[in-house]
Coordinates of all heavy atoms in Angstrom, one line a residue:
V107 N 10.1 -21.0 -18.3 CA 9.8 -19.9 -17.3 C 11.0 -19.1 -17.0 O 11.0 -17.9 -16.7 CB 9.0 -20.4 -16.1 CG1 9.9 -21.1 -15.1 CG2 8.3 -19.3 -15.4
V111 N 10.4 -15.3 -17.7 CA 10.4 -14.3 -16.6 C 11.4 -13.2 -16.9 O 11.1 -12.0 -16.7 CB 10.7 -15.0 -15.2 CG1 11.2 -13.9 -14.2 CG2 9.5 -15.7 -14.7
M115 N 8.4 -10.9 -18.2 CA 7.7 -10.6 -16.9 C 8.5 -9.6 -16.1 O 8.0 -8.8 -15.4 CB 7.5 -11.9 -16.1 CG 6.7 -12.9 -16.9 SD 6.2 -14.4 -16.1 CE 6.0 -15.5 -17.5
A144 N 14.7 -10.7 -12.5 CA 13.6 -11.3 -11.8 C 12.6 -10.2 -11.4 O 12.9 -9.0 -11.3 CB 14.1 -12.0 -10.5
I145 N 11.3 -10.6 -11.2 CA 10.3 -9.7 -10.7 C 9.8 -10.2 -9.4 O 9.4 -11.4 -9.2 CB 9.1 -9.6 -11.7 CG1 8.0 -8.8 -11.2 CG2 8.6 -10.9 -12.3 CD1 8.2 -7.3 -11.1
A146 N 9.8 -9.4 -8.4 CA 9.5 -9.8 -7.0 C 8.4 -9.0 -6.4 O 8.5 -7.8 -6.0 CB 10.8 -9.6 -6.1
V147 N 7.2 -9.6 -6.6 CA 6.0 -8.9 -6.1 C 5.4 -9.7 -4.9 O 5.1 -9.2 -3.8 CB 4.9 -8.8 -7.2 CG1 3.6 -8.1 -6.7 CG2 5.5 -8.0 -8.4
T148 N 5.2 -11.0 -5.1 CA 4.5 -11.9 -4.1 C 5.2 -11.9 -2.8 O 6.4 -11.9 -2.7 CB 4.4 -13.3 -4.7 OG1 3.7 -13.2 -5.9 CG2 3.5 -14.2 -3.8
E149 N 4.4 -11.9 -1.7 CA 4.9 -12.1 -0.3 C 4.2 -13.3 0.3 O 3.1 -13.7 -0.2 CB 4.7 -10.9 0.5 CG 5.5 -9.7 -0.1 CD 5.3 -8.4 0.7 OE1 4.5 -8.4 1.7 OE2 5.9 -7.4 0.2
A150 N 4.7 -13.8 1.4 CA 4.0 -15.0 2.0 C 2.6 -14.7 2.3 O 1.7 -15.6 2.2 CB 4.8 -15.3 3.3
N151 N 2.2 -13.4 2.7 CA 0.9 -13.1 3.0 C 0.1 -12.3 2.0 O -0.9 -11.7 2.3 CB 0.8 -12.5 4.4 CG 1.2 -13.4 5.5 OD1 0.7 -14.6 5.5 ND2 2.1 -13.0 6.3
A152 N 0.7 -12.1 0.8 CA 0.1 -11.3 -0.2 C 0.5 -11.8 -1.6 O 1.6 -11.5 -2.0 CB 0.5 -9.8 -0.1
G153 N -0.4 -12.6 -2.2 CA -0.1 -13.1 -3.5 C -1.1 -12.5 -4.5 O -0.9 -11.5 -5.2
S154 N -2.3 -13.1 -4.6 CA -3.3 -12.6 -5.5 C -3.7 -11.2 -5.1 O -3.9 -10.3 -6.0 CB -4.6 -13.5 -5.3 OG -4.3 -14.8 -5.5
D155 N -3.7 -10.9 -3.8 CA -4.1 -9.5 -3.4 C -2.8 -8.6 -3.3 O -2.3 -8.4 -2.2 CB -4.8 -9.6 -2.0 CG -5.5 -8.3 -1.6 OD1 -5.4 -7.3 -2.4 OD2 -6.1 -8.3 -0.6
V156 N -2.4 -8.2 -4.5 CA -1.1 -7.4 -4.5 C -1.2 -6.1 -3.7 O -0.1 -5.7 -3.1 CB -0.8 -7.0 -6.0 CG1 0.4 -6.2 -6.1 CG2 -0.6 -8.3 -6.8
K176 N 10.1 -11.4 0.2 CA 9.3 -11.8 -1.0 C 9.3 -13.3 -1.1 O 10.3 -13.9 -0.6 CB 9.9 -11.2 -2.3 CG 9.9 -9.7 -2.3 CD 8.4 -9.2 -2.5 CE 8.3 -7.7 -2.3 NZ 6.9 -7.2 -2.5
M177 N 8.3 -13.8 -1.7 CA 8.1 -15.3 -1.7 C 7.9 -15.8 -3.1 O 7.3 -15.1 -3.9 CB 6.9 -15.7 -0.8 CG 6.9 -17.1 -0.4 SD 8.5 -17.7 0.2 CE 8.0 -18.7 1.6
F178 N 8.3 -17.0 -3.4 CA 8.1 -17.7 -4.7 C 8.7 -17.0 -5.9 O 8.1 -16.9 -6.9 CB 6.6 -17.9 -5.0 CG 5.8 -18.5 -3.9 CD1 4.6 -17.9 -3.5 CD2 6.2 -19.6 -3.2 CE1 3.8 -18.5 -2.5 CE2 5.4 -20.2 -2.2 CZ 4.2 -19.6 -1.8
I179 N 9.9 -16.4 -5.7 CA 10.4 -15.6 -6.8 C 11.2 -16.4 -7.8 O 12.3 -17.0 -7.5 CB 11.2 -14.4 -6.3 CG1 10.4 -13.6 -5.2 CG2 11.7 -13.5 -7.4 CD1 9.0 -13.1 -5.7
T180 N 10.7 -16.4 -9.0 CA 11.4 -17.2 -10.1 C 12.7 -16.4 -10.5 O 12.7 -15.2 -10.5 CB 10.5 -17.2 -11.3 OG1 9.3 -17.9 -11.0 CG2 11.1 -18.0 -12.5
N181 N 13.7 -17.2 -10.7 CA 15.1 -16.7 -11.0 C 15.6 -16.1 -9.7 O 16.6 -15.3 -9.7 CB 15.2 -15.7 -12.1 CG 14.8 -16.2 -13.5 OD1 14.7 -17.5 -13.6 ND2 14.5 -15.4 -14.4
G182 N 14.9 -16.3 -8.6 CA 15.3 -15.7 -7.3 C 16.7 -15.9 -6.8 O 17.3 -15.0 -6.3
F189 N 13.4 -6.6 -9.8 CA 12.4 -5.5 -9.8 C 11.5 -5.8 -8.6 O 10.7 -6.7 -8.7 CB 11.7 -5.3 -11.1 CG 12.7 -5.0 -12.2 CD1 12.9 -6.0 -13.2 CD2 13.5 -3.9 -12.2 CE1 13.9 -5.7 -14.2 CE2 14.4 -3.6 -13.2 CZ 14.6 -4.6 -14.2
L222 N 13.4 -22.7 -2.7 CA 12.1 -23.5 -2.6 C 12.2 -24.7 -3.6 O 12.6 -24.6 -4.7 CB 10.9 -22.6 -2.9 CG 10.9 -21.4 -2.0 CD1 9.9 -20.3 -2.5 CD2 10.4 -21.8 -0.6
K224 N 10.1 -27.5 -5.6 CA 8.8 -27.5 -6.2 C 8.4 -28.8 -6.9 O 9.2 -29.6 -7.2 CB 8.8 -26.4 -7.4 CG 9.3 -25.0 -7.0 CD 9.2 -24.1 -8.1 CE 10.0 -24.4 -9.3 NZ 11.5 -24.3 -9.0
G226 N 6.9 -29.0 -9.9 CA 7.3 -29.0 -11.3 C 8.3 -27.8 -11.6 O 8.9 -27.3 -10.6
W227 N 8.4 -27.4 -12.8 CA 9.4 -26.4 -13.2 C 10.7 -26.6 -12.5 O 11.3 -25.7 -11.9 CB 8.8 -25.0 -12.8 CG 7.8 -24.4 -13.7 CD1 7.3 -25.0 -14.9 CD2 7.1 -23.2 -13.6 NE1 6.3 -24.2 -15.4 CE2 6.2 -23.0 -14.7 CE3 7.2 -22.1 -12.7 CZ2 5.4 -21.9 -14.9 CZ3 6.4 -21.0 -12.9 CH2 5.5 -20.9 -14.0
S230 N 13.9 -24.5 -13.0 CA 13.8 -23.1 -12.6 C 14.1 -22.9 -11.2 O 13.6 -23.6 -10.3 CB 12.3 -22.6 -13.0 OG 12.0 -21.5 -12.2
D231 N 14.9 -21.9 -10.8 CA 15.2 -21.7 -9.4 C 14.2 -20.7 -8.8 O 13.8 -19.7 -9.5 CB 16.6 -21.1 -9.2 CG 16.9 -19.9 -10.0 OD1 17.0 -19.9 -11.3 OD2 17.0 -18.8 -9.4
T232 N 13.7 -21.0 -7.7 CA 12.6 -20.2 -7.0 C 13.0 -20.0 -5.6 O 13.5 -20.9 -4.9 CB 11.3 -21.0 -7.0 OG1 11.0 -21.5 -8.3 CG2 10.1 -20.2 -6.6
F262 N 1.4 -6.9 -16.1 CA 0.7 -8.2 -16.0 C 0.0 -8.7 -17.3 O -0.1 -9.9 -17.5 CB -0.4 -8.1 -14.9 CG 0.1 -8.3 -13.5 CD1 -0.7 -7.8 -12.4 CD2 1.3 -8.9 -13.2 CE1 -0.2 -8.0 -11.1 CE2 1.8 -9.0 -11.9 CZ 1.0 -8.6 -10.8
E265 N 2.7 -10.4 -19.1 CA 3.1 -11.6 -18.3 C 2.0 -12.7 -18.6 O 2.4 -13.8 -18.8 CB 3.1 -11.2 -16.8 CG 3.3 -12.3 -15.9 CD 3.6 -11.9 -14.5 OE1 4.1 -10.8 -14.2 OE2 3.2 -12.6 -13.5
R266 N 0.8 -12.3 -18.6 CA -0.3 -13.3 -18.8 C -0.3 -13.8 -20.2 O -0.7 -15.0 -20.4 CB -1.6 -12.7 -18.3 CG -1.7 -12.6 -16.8 CD -2.7 -11.7 -16.2 NE -2.5 -11.6 -14.8 CZ -3.0 -10.7 -14.0 NH1 -3.8 -9.8 -14.5 NH2 -2.8 -10.7 -12.7
L269 N 2.3 -16.4 -20.0 CA 1.9 -17.6 -19.3 C 0.9 -18.4 -20.2 O 0.9 -19.7 -20.1 CB 1.3 -17.2 -18.0 CG 2.4 -16.8 -17.0 CD1 1.8 -16.0 -15.8 CD2 3.1 -18.1 -16.4
I381 N 1.1 -25.4 -12.1 CA 1.3 -24.1 -11.6 C 0.6 -23.1 -12.6 O 0.3 -21.9 -12.2 CB 2.8 -23.7 -11.5 CG1 3.0 -22.3 -10.9 CG2 3.5 -23.9 -12.8 CD1 2.5 -22.1 -9.6
S383 N -2.3 -22.7 -13.6 CA -3.6 -22.1 -13.2 C -3.6 -21.4 -11.9 O -4.6 -20.9 -11.4 CB -4.7 -23.3 -13.2 OG -4.3 -24.2 -12.2
I384 N -2.3 -21.3 -11.3 CA -2.1 -20.7 -10.0 C -1.3 -19.4 -10.2 O -1.7 -18.3 -9.7 CB -1.5 -21.7 -9.0 CG1 -2.3 -22.9 -8.8 CG2 -1.1 -20.9 -7.7 CD1 -1.7 -24.0 -7.9
G385 N -0.1 -19.6 -10.8 CA 0.9 -18.5 -10.8 C 0.5 -17.4 -11.8 O -0.2 -17.6 -12.7
G386 N 0.9 -16.2 -11.5 CA 0.7 -15.0 -12.4 C -0.8 -14.7 -12.5 O -1.2 -14.2 -13.6
G387 N -1.6 -15.0 -11.5 CA -3.0 -14.7 -11.6 C -3.7 -16.0 -11.6 O -3.9 -16.7 -12.6
A388 N -4.2 -16.5 -10.4 CA -5.0 -17.7 -10.3 C -6.2 -17.6 -11.2 O -6.8 -16.5 -11.4 CB -5.3 -18.1 -8.9
T389 N -6.8 -18.8 -11.6 CA -7.9 -18.8 -12.5 C -9.1 -17.9 -11.9 O -9.7 -17.1 -12.6 CB -8.4 -20.3 -12.7 OG1 -7.4 -21.0 -13.3 CG2 -9.7 -20.3 -13.5
E390 N -9.3 -18.1 -10.6 CA -10.5 -17.4 -10.0 C -10.2 -15.9 -10.0 O -11.2 -15.1 -10.3 CB -10.7 -17.8 -8.5 CG -11.0 -19.3 -8.3 CD -9.8 -20.2 -8.3 OE1 -8.7 -19.7 -8.7 OE2 -9.9 -21.4 -7.9
V391 N -9.0 -15.5 -9.8 CA -8.7 -14.0 -9.8 C -8.8 -13.5 -11.3 O -9.4 -12.4 -11.5 CB -7.2 -13.8 -9.3 CG1 -6.8 -12.4 -9.4 CG2 -7.1 -14.3 -7.9
E394 N -12.5 -13.0 -12.0 CA -13.0 -11.8 -11.3 C -12.7 -10.6 -12.2 O -13.5 -9.7 -12.4 CB -12.4 -11.6 -9.9 CG -12.9 -12.5 -8.9 CD -14.4 -12.3 -8.7 OE1 -14.8 -11.2 -8.4 OE2 -15.2 -13.3 -8.7
Ligands
LIG511 C1 6.7 -21.7 -9.0 C2 6.2 -20.3 -8.7 C3 6.8 -19.3 -9.3 C4 6.4 -18.0 -9.0 N1 7.1 -16.9 -9.5 C5 6.8 -15.6 -9.1 C6 7.6 -14.5 -9.4 O1 8.6 -14.7 -10.2 N2 7.3 -13.3 -8.9 C7 6.3 -13.1 -8.1 O2 6.1 -12.0 -7.7 N3 5.4 -14.1 -7.7 C8 5.7 -15.4 -8.2 N4 4.9 -16.4 -7.8 C9 3.7 -16.2 -7.0 C10 2.4 -16.5 -7.7 O3 2.1 -15.5 -8.7 C11 1.3 -16.6 -6.6 O4 1.5 -17.8 -6.0 C12 -0.1 -16.5 -7.1 O5 -0.3 -15.2 -7.6 C13 -1.1 -16.8 -6.1 O6 -0.9 -16.1 -4.9 P1 -0.8 -16.9 -3.5 O7 0.1 -18.1 -3.6 O8 -0.5 -16.0 -2.4 O9 -2.3 -17.5 -3.3 P2 -3.5 -16.8 -2.6 O10 -3.6 -15.4 -3.0 O11 -3.4 -17.0 -1.1 O12 -4.7 -17.6 -3.2 C14 -4.8 -19.0 -2.9 C15 -5.9 -19.5 -3.8 O13 -7.2 -18.9 -3.5 C16 -7.9 -18.7 -4.7 N5 -8.3 -17.3 -4.7 C17 -7.5 -16.2 -4.5 N6 -8.2 -15.1 -4.7 C18 -9.5 -15.4 -5.0 C19 -10.7 -14.7 -5.2 N7 -10.7 -13.4 -5.3 N8 -11.8 -15.4 -5.5 C20 -11.8 -16.8 -5.5 N9 -10.7 -17.5 -5.2 C21 -9.5 -16.9 -5.0 C22 -7.1 -19.2 -5.8 O14 -7.5 -20.5 -6.2 C23 -5.7 -19.2 -5.3 O15 -4.9 -20.2 -6.0 C24 5.3 -17.8 -8.1 C25 4.7 -18.9 -7.6 C26 5.1 -20.1 -7.8 C27 4.4 -21.3 -7.1

Side-chain angles (χ1 to χ4, degrees):
V107 76
V111 161
M115 306 184 205
I145 172 77
V147 181
T148 305
E149 300 179 357
N151 292 313
S154 306
D155 192 359
V156 174
K176 295 287 169 184
M177 196 46 136
F178 310 134
I179 306 307
T180 302
N181 298 344
F189 300 113
L222 302 164
K224 305 184 297 297
W227 283 1
S230 153
D231 57 291
T232 312
F262 276 162
E265 175 172 331
R266 286 165 186 163
L269 286 160
I381 183 63
S383 62
I384 299 173
T389 299
E390 298 86 346
V391 177
E394 283 300 306

